[in-house]
Amino acid sequence: MTVQARCSTPVGQTVPGAALSLGGADRAARGVHPFSLVDMQARTVEYLRVSVTDRCNYRCTYCMPAEGAQLVPRPELLDFDEIATLVRVFVSLGVRKVRLTGGEPLVRRDIVRLVDQLANIAGIDDLSMTTNGHLLAELAAPLRKAGLQRLNVSLDTLDPGKFARVTRQGSLDAVVRGLEAAQAAGFVHTKINTVALRGLNDDELLSLCDFAADRGLVLRLIEYMPIGVDQFWGPDTYLPVADIRALLAAGWDLAPVERTHLPGGGPARHWIGRSRAQPSRTVHLGFIAAVSEKFCRLCNRVRLSSTGTLRECLSAAGTLSLRDMLRGGASNADLKAAIHAALHGKVDAHRFDGAVHTREPMSAIGG
Ligand code: SAM
Ligand code: SF4
């Protein structure tokens, strides 16, 4: 198997460029994994997001077209052994955190078996999943038993009517039961992912804080990104983090947290909210200012699509098919070299701010 022409850097060999040219001794001195993935901006990649399917049981307005996204034929999806092989390769390159996403990861048949397979890979410190929570009531306990460590559950509104409207076919009741089942199964540090949407949930941010505070959940407020379904993104829907904080300040005193005990890391800014009415009551908040405050400097991640394409940046379509390499008989060394070379081309920052708009739906990218 010949590695594609652009992927010509053998593992461990130095390549031109600031951080990639660090020698083994330099890396060790800096506490960096000897074969770690370091890009041209000296950002170390230690976090892999794996989309396990492009299918979803919801049709969120900001993520998918109403009729659903165009699905890839099943044989094109990575099978579990292929996912595990690629995850092992990334772990050998220094990846320590693996998150399963989708589409909706819980609609992938036998997802618990995949979790079990990945949980047995030595070197993963943090195995997590982002889910819409619809099937969590029945799957939380088996997932926990299989070795899943953490959950992010998406929840944009506590109003059943709005929930049905924004997800097009979801059930708020099912998601709340899923969150309860997760807690009962022993998941801790569970995060709620809320996309802040002007005109949908800007009047509910205080209630969402209460919901999270009551249950000891972390509330992550995510700026709506101009990805995929472009007819909705714009001044009528986009709510910058500064406005989100201003809305929250009506009920909570907010203070940034420099260091957090929470696992996960990455670009979220952590804050603590203290209830104005009841100062002993707190809520842990994470703000993801993807558009207004560009977190790219802190980017520590790459994405693997459900068809095995490496996506180096959320806003740039990936071109390296690790699935085709695998199916063509590539060795681990070939795969590592190709990944290193692809990382060399990781852009310095996303490109959401101009007219450029990522056309693929977020469901295909995995968030
Ligand atoms: N189906 C799962 C879920 O909804 O949690 C996992 C996949 S979903 C694409 C991952 C995350 O991306 C969700 O929290 C979702 O709210 C978020 N998301 C989707 N489209 C988005 C957009 N345009 N801007 C910001 N976040 C988005
Ligand atoms: Fe499905 Fe998640 Fe996208 Fe909603 S955000 S349509 S649940 S993939």
Side-chain angles (χ1 to χ4, degrees), residues 62-63 101 103-104 130-132 154 193 195 223-225 362 366-367:
Y62 51 74
C63 177
T101 175
E104 172 48 37
T130 298
T131 168
N132 63 26
S154 299
N193 276 3
V195 180
E223 283 183 353
Y224 182 13
M225 296 176 230
M362 190 67 120

Side-chain angles (χ1 to χ4, degrees), residues 114-290:
L114 176 65
V115 168
D116 183 62
Q117 234 172 308
L118 299 182
N120 281 304
I121 296 177
I124 301 178
D125 297 338
D126 187 31
L127 179 61
S128 62
M129 178 183 286
T130 298
T131 168
N132 63 26
H134 189 82
L135 297 173
L136 205 49
E138 58 189 272
L139 288 173
L143 286 168
R144 181 80 188 141
K145 202 162 160 223
L148 191 70
Q149 289 165 270
R150 291 191 305 117
L151 281 168
N152 283 16
V153 179
S154 299
L155 177 62
D156 300 320
T157 168
L158 298 169
D159 175 306
K162 279 194 209 171
F163 188 91
R165 268 206 313 284
V166 74
T167 60
R168 293 203 180 98
Q169 53 196 60
S171 154
L172 175 62
D173 182 53
V175 177
V176 173
R177 279 189 290 111
L179 278 165
E180 286 165 2
Q183 215 143 17
F187 282 100
V188 291
H189 302 314
T190 299
K191 294 175 185 163
I192 295 179
N193 276 3
T194 299
V195 180
L197 297 159
R198 199 185 289 284
L200 180 92
N201 58 11
D202 46 352
D203 59 342
E204 272 193 82
L205 299 181
L206 296 174
S207 319
L208 283 158
C209 277
D210 281 325
F211 180 88
D214 288 345
R215 291 164 176 75
L217 303 167
V218 178
L219 179 63
R220 293 189 353 146
L221 292 150
I222 305 170
E223 283 183 353
Y224 182 13
M225 296 176 230
I227 289 185
V229 192
D230 54 341
Q231 74 265 35
F232 295 117
W233 193 88
D236 292 343
T237 50
Y238 167 68
L239 192 63
V241 153
D243 292 12
I244 298 173
R245 287 200 192 111
L247 288 166
L248 293 180
W252 299 80
D253 287 324
L254 304 176
V257 181
E258 277 314 313
R259 289 190 152 273
T260 169
H261 65 289
L262 289 177
R269 305 279 161 89
H270 294 270
W271 288 56
I272 290 289
R274 194 169 289 284
S275 164
R276 290 179 165 226
Q278 197 185 329
S280 60
R281 185 170 150 78
T282 58
V283 62
H284 196 124
L285 301 164
F287 294 100
I288 306 205

Side-chain angles (χ1 to χ4, degrees), residues 225-230 311 313-317 350-352 355-362 365:
M225 296 176 230
I227 289 185
V229 192
D230 54 341
R311 194 179 192 106
C313 171
L314 191 56
S315 77
H350 70 63
R351 305 280 183 250
F352 294 150
V356 183
H357 190 112
T358 307
R359 294 288 161 194
E360 257 178 291
M362 190 67 120
I365 301 171

